Amino acid sequence: MTETLPPRHTNSVAELKLLAKGQWANIFDDLFDSPENPNPLAEAFAANGFHVSCPVHGGSDGFRLFGDFLDTGGTVCNSCGPHKDGLSTLSWLLE
């Protein structure tokens, strides 16, 4: 007897970004949702567009969310450089 496997989802990166548009704050909150694994962007969320310390290397005020963060997930650190979308930001945070 042959077992039938469920269909595989083959979403492209573009499709994933479209699905995530407007949801990046929720995505990061859901991924980093425990005291042992706090959201590295929490300080930036609370700063409402102002510069804060970098969640990767610290400092005092070199990091901020892009103005369209909710749609794109983009961030920038003056030292580390820009992360144009949420997938790039997430990858950078998890390195």
Side-chain angles (χ1 to χ4, degrees):
M1 178 178 208
T2 304
E3 183 178 337
T4 304
L5 299 174
R8 291 183 58 193
H9 293 285
T10 57
N11 290 346
S12 69
V13 170
E15 288 173 312
L16 291 173
K17 289 179 185 179
L18 185 61
L19 291 169
K21 186 175 182 177
Q23 299 299 317
W24 282 106
N26 294 331
I27 290 168
F28 279 93
D29 281 341
D30 288 347
L31 289 172
F32 302 98
D33 67 347
S34 70
E36 300 84 29
N37 192 27
N39 188 337
L41 301 181
E43 182 183 9
F45 288 158
N48 294 320
F50 289 97
H51 293 225
V52 298
S53 62
C54 175
V56 170
H57 66 76
S60 60
D61 64 354
F63 179 80
R64 68 189 177 284
L65 306 177
F66 284 166
D68 62 355
F69 174 83
L70 294 177
D71 288 337
T72 67
T75 60
V76 64
C77 171
N78 291 343
S79 298
C80 303
H83 308 286
K84 65 181 180 172
D85 59 46
L87 296 176
S88 176
T89 298
L90 183 59
S91 220
W92 170 67
L93 290 170
L94 296 175
E95 285 181 343

